[in-house]
Amino acid sequence: MDTQMLYEFIVLSKTLNFSKAAKILYISQPVLSRHIKELEQEFNVPLLTRSTHHVNLTEAGRVLSQKAPELIDQCDRAIVNSRFWHNVTEATIRIACVVELSYAQRLIDFIQQFRLQHPNIRTDIQVLTNGTPEAVLQDPAYDIILTPCRFVTTPPHIQKRFIDSQAVAVALHPKHPLRTKNLILMNDLIG
C-alpha cells in the first residue's frame, strides 16, 4: 500500500475539494484524482461521491478518513523497524529504568534474552534513582524508559505501552487494624 495516497486521501477528506487538496499537496488535480481512484480500486469500495459542484465521503470514506492516520503511522513504523533490524550490524539501545524495576526478574530475563538474540546490539541501561521525572521523557538520550509511573500528559511523539504488572505487598504492624483483612485495596491504605 502506498501511504502517500492515504495521506492525499486524508487531505482531500478534510477539504472535500480536489483543487484545494491538490494545491495543499503540491500536485496536479488529475494526479490526485488518479490516486484516489487507485485507492478506491485497491480497497474495492467507493470512498467519495462526486458531482460537478460537490465531493462527499461515503461511509467507507468516512471510516478510512478516521483510520488512515493510524494506518500511515503503523506502516511507517513497520518500514523503519524492518530497515533498522535488517541493516543493524552494530548499535546501542539506551534504556532508562527506575530503581524499583531494575531488580525485577522479568526485566533481567528480558535483557538477557535480548542480548542472546541480538549480540550485535549493545544495551546501555541507566538506573534512575530519583524516580522518573517527566523531564526524562523528553530526553532524546534514551530509546526506552521503563517506569511504573502513569504520566497524565505525554508529548504526542512519545508512545506509551503497558508491558507488565506486578503484585504490591504491604508490611503492617502486628496490631494494625488491616492485618486481619484477606484483601487490602489501595483505597484502604489512604491515610
Side-chain angles (χ1 to χ4, degrees), residues 7 11-12 14-15 17-27:
Y7 178 73
V11 172
L12 180 60
K14 291 184 185 316
T15 63
N17 183 301
F18 276 88
S19 296
K20 286 181 185 175
K23 190 173 186 177
I24 291 168
L25 294 164
Y26 296 101
I27 60 175

mmCIF file of all heavy atoms in Angstrom, residues 7 11-12 14-15 17-27:
data_model
loop_
_atom_site.group_PDB
_atom_site.id
_atom_site.type_symbol
_atom_site.label_atom_id
_atom_site.label_comp_id
_atom_site.label_asym_id
_atom_site.label_seq_id
_atom_site.Cartn_x
_atom_site.Cartn_y
_atom_site.Cartn_z
ATOM 1 N N TYR A 7 -2.269 9.524 2.599
ATOM 2 C CA TYR A 7 -2.108 10.890 3.072
ATOM 3 C C TYR A 7 -2.883 11.863 2.180
ATOM 4 O O TYR A 7 -3.562 12.767 2.672
ATOM 5 C CB TYR A 7 -0.626 11.271 3.125
ATOM 6 C CG TYR A 7 -0.406 12.691 3.565
ATOM 7 C CD1 TYR A 7 -0.605 13.064 4.888
ATOM 8 C CD2 TYR A 7 -0.036 13.673 2.651
ATOM 9 C CE1 TYR A 7 -0.433 14.378 5.290
ATOM 10 C CE2 TYR A 7 0.144 14.985 3.038
ATOM 11 C CZ TYR A 7 -0.052 15.331 4.368
ATOM 12 O OH TYR A 7 0.103 16.643 4.760
ATOM 13 N N VAL A 11 -6.022 14.517 3.260
ATOM 14 C CA VAL A 11 -6.124 15.945 2.922
ATOM 15 C C VAL A 11 -7.423 16.200 2.167
ATOM 16 O O VAL A 11 -8.155 17.143 2.473
ATOM 17 C CB VAL A 11 -4.900 16.411 2.118
ATOM 18 C CG1 VAL A 11 -5.087 17.832 1.604
ATOM 19 C CG2 VAL A 11 -3.632 16.298 2.965
ATOM 20 N N LEU A 12 -7.730 15.352 1.193
ATOM 21 C CA LEU A 12 -8.959 15.516 0.421
ATOM 22 C C LEU A 12 -10.195 15.360 1.312
ATOM 23 O O LEU A 12 -11.169 16.100 1.168
ATOM 24 C CB LEU A 12 -9.007 14.519 -0.743
ATOM 25 C CG LEU A 12 -10.248 14.590 -1.633
ATOM 26 C CD1 LEU A 12 -10.393 15.967 -2.272
ATOM 27 C CD2 LEU A 12 -10.186 13.509 -2.705
ATOM 28 N N LYS A 14 -10.519 16.198 4.298
ATOM 29 C CA LYS A 14 -10.687 17.392 5.130
ATOM 30 C C LYS A 14 -11.184 18.586 4.309
ATOM 31 O O LYS A 14 -11.985 19.380 4.784
ATOM 32 C CB LYS A 14 -9.378 17.741 5.834
ATOM 33 C CG LYS A 14 -8.993 16.724 6.904
ATOM 34 C CD LYS A 14 -7.747 17.141 7.635
ATOM 35 C CE LYS A 14 -7.245 16.135 8.624
ATOM 36 N NZ LYS A 14 -8.196 15.500 9.473
ATOM 37 N N THR A 15 -10.701 18.686 3.075
ATOM 38 C CA THR A 15 -11.097 19.831 2.248
ATOM 39 C C THR A 15 -12.372 19.564 1.450
ATOM 40 O O THR A 15 -13.110 20.493 1.143
ATOM 41 C CB THR A 15 -9.982 20.196 1.250
ATOM 42 O OG1 THR A 15 -9.774 19.100 0.358
ATOM 43 C CG2 THR A 15 -8.702 20.565 1.967
ATOM 44 N N ASN A 17 -12.485 19.030 -1.547
ATOM 45 C CA ASN A 17 -12.333 19.824 -2.759
ATOM 46 C C ASN A 17 -11.021 19.408 -3.426
ATOM 47 O O ASN A 17 -9.946 19.602 -2.855
ATOM 48 C CB ASN A 17 -12.318 21.314 -2.388
ATOM 49 C CG ASN A 17 -12.241 22.207 -3.595
ATOM 50 O OD1 ASN A 17 -11.300 22.122 -4.376
ATOM 51 N ND2 ASN A 17 -13.229 23.074 -3.737
ATOM 52 N N PHE A 18 -11.129 18.837 -4.631
ATOM 53 C CA PHE A 18 -9.943 18.334 -5.327
ATOM 54 C C PHE A 18 -8.933 19.443 -5.617
ATOM 55 O O PHE A 18 -7.726 19.243 -5.474
ATOM 56 C CB PHE A 18 -10.347 17.622 -6.630
ATOM 57 C CG PHE A 18 -10.741 16.190 -6.435
ATOM 58 C CD1 PHE A 18 -12.051 15.857 -6.143
ATOM 59 C CD2 PHE A 18 -9.807 15.171 -6.539
ATOM 60 C CE1 PHE A 18 -12.427 14.536 -5.961
ATOM 61 C CE2 PHE A 18 -10.167 13.846 -6.360
ATOM 62 C CZ PHE A 18 -11.479 13.524 -6.072
ATOM 63 N N SER A 19 -9.411 20.616 -6.012
ATOM 64 C CA SER A 19 -8.491 21.726 -6.334
ATOM 65 C C SER A 19 -7.718 22.167 -5.102
ATOM 66 O O SER A 19 -6.494 22.336 -5.150
ATOM 67 C CB SER A 19 -9.262 22.921 -6.894
ATOM 68 O OG SER A 19 -9.869 22.570 -8.109
ATOM 69 N N LYS A 20 -8.431 22.365 -3.991
ATOM 70 C CA LYS A 20 -7.758 22.800 -2.771
ATOM 71 C C LYS A 20 -6.785 21.738 -2.266
ATOM 72 O O LYS A 20 -5.664 22.061 -1.864
ATOM 73 C CB LYS A 20 -8.791 23.098 -1.671
ATOM 74 C CG LYS A 20 -9.562 24.378 -1.871
ATOM 75 C CD LYS A 20 -10.535 24.578 -0.717
ATOM 76 C CE LYS A 20 -11.412 25.795 -0.966
ATOM 77 N NZ LYS A 20 -12.444 25.950 0.080
ATOM 78 N N ALA A 21 -7.217 20.499 -2.275
ATOM 79 C CA ALA A 21 -6.356 19.409 -1.793
ATOM 80 C C ALA A 21 -5.105 19.300 -2.656
ATOM 81 O O ALA A 21 -3.994 19.142 -2.140
ATOM 82 C CB ALA A 21 -7.123 18.090 -1.776
ATOM 83 N N ALA A 22 -5.264 19.387 -3.971
ATOM 84 C CA ALA A 22 -4.111 19.298 -4.873
ATOM 85 C C ALA A 22 -3.136 20.443 -4.615
ATOM 86 O O ALA A 22 -1.913 20.241 -4.610
ATOM 87 C CB ALA A 22 -4.590 19.306 -6.328
ATOM 88 N N LYS A 23 -3.670 21.616 -4.365
ATOM 89 C CA LYS A 23 -2.826 22.776 -4.086
ATOM 90 C C LYS A 23 -2.044 22.574 -2.785
ATOM 91 O O LYS A 23 -0.853 22.854 -2.707
ATOM 92 C CB LYS A 23 -3.691 24.035 -4.011
ATOM 93 C CG LYS A 23 -2.907 25.310 -3.966
ATOM 94 C CD LYS A 23 -3.836 26.510 -4.070
ATOM 95 C CE LYS A 23 -3.033 27.779 -4.166
ATOM 96 N NZ LYS A 23 -3.865 28.951 -4.342
ATOM 97 N N ILE A 24 -2.710 22.080 -1.751
ATOM 98 C CA ILE A 24 -2.057 21.811 -0.465
ATOM 99 C C ILE A 24 -0.957 20.766 -0.628
ATOM 100 O O ILE A 24 0.107 20.863 -0.021
ATOM 101 C CB ILE A 24 -3.097 21.331 0.582
ATOM 102 C CG1 ILE A 24 -4.032 22.482 0.950
ATOM 103 C CG2 ILE A 24 -2.425 20.757 1.823
ATOM 104 C CD1 ILE A 24 -5.261 22.055 1.749
ATOM 105 N N LEU A 25 -1.228 19.763 -1.469
ATOM 106 C CA LEU A 25 -0.294 18.648 -1.653
ATOM 107 C C LEU A 25 0.788 18.925 -2.695
ATOM 108 O O LEU A 25 1.687 18.099 -2.883
ATOM 109 C CB LEU A 25 -1.085 17.399 -2.070
ATOM 110 C CG LEU A 25 -2.037 16.845 -1.011
ATOM 111 C CD1 LEU A 25 -3.029 15.878 -1.637
ATOM 112 C CD2 LEU A 25 -1.249 16.171 0.097
ATOM 113 N N TYR A 26 0.700 20.062 -3.384
ATOM 114 C CA TYR A 26 1.650 20.419 -4.437
ATOM 115 C C TYR A 26 1.680 19.372 -5.551
ATOM 116 O O TYR A 26 2.739 18.990 -6.041
ATOM 117 C CB TYR A 26 3.067 20.621 -3.877
ATOM 118 C CG TYR A 26 3.159 21.769 -2.914
ATOM 119 C CD1 TYR A 26 3.172 21.546 -1.547
ATOM 120 C CD2 TYR A 26 3.214 23.084 -3.366
ATOM 121 C CE1 TYR A 26 3.237 22.604 -0.643
ATOM 122 C CE2 TYR A 26 3.281 24.146 -2.480
ATOM 123 C CZ TYR A 26 3.286 23.896 -1.125
ATOM 124 O OH TYR A 26 3.348 24.942 -0.239
ATOM 125 N N ILE A 27 0.501 18.897 -5.920
ATOM 126 C CA ILE A 27 0.379 18.000 -7.073
ATOM 127 C C ILE A 27 -0.751 18.518 -7.936
ATOM 128 O O ILE A 27 -1.534 19.365 -7.517
ATOM 129 C CB ILE A 27 0.108 16.523 -6.653
ATOM 130 C CG1 ILE A 27 -1.195 16.403 -5.853
ATOM 131 C CG2 ILE A 27 1.275 15.946 -5.874
ATOM 132 C CD1 ILE A 27 -1.581 14.963 -5.508
#
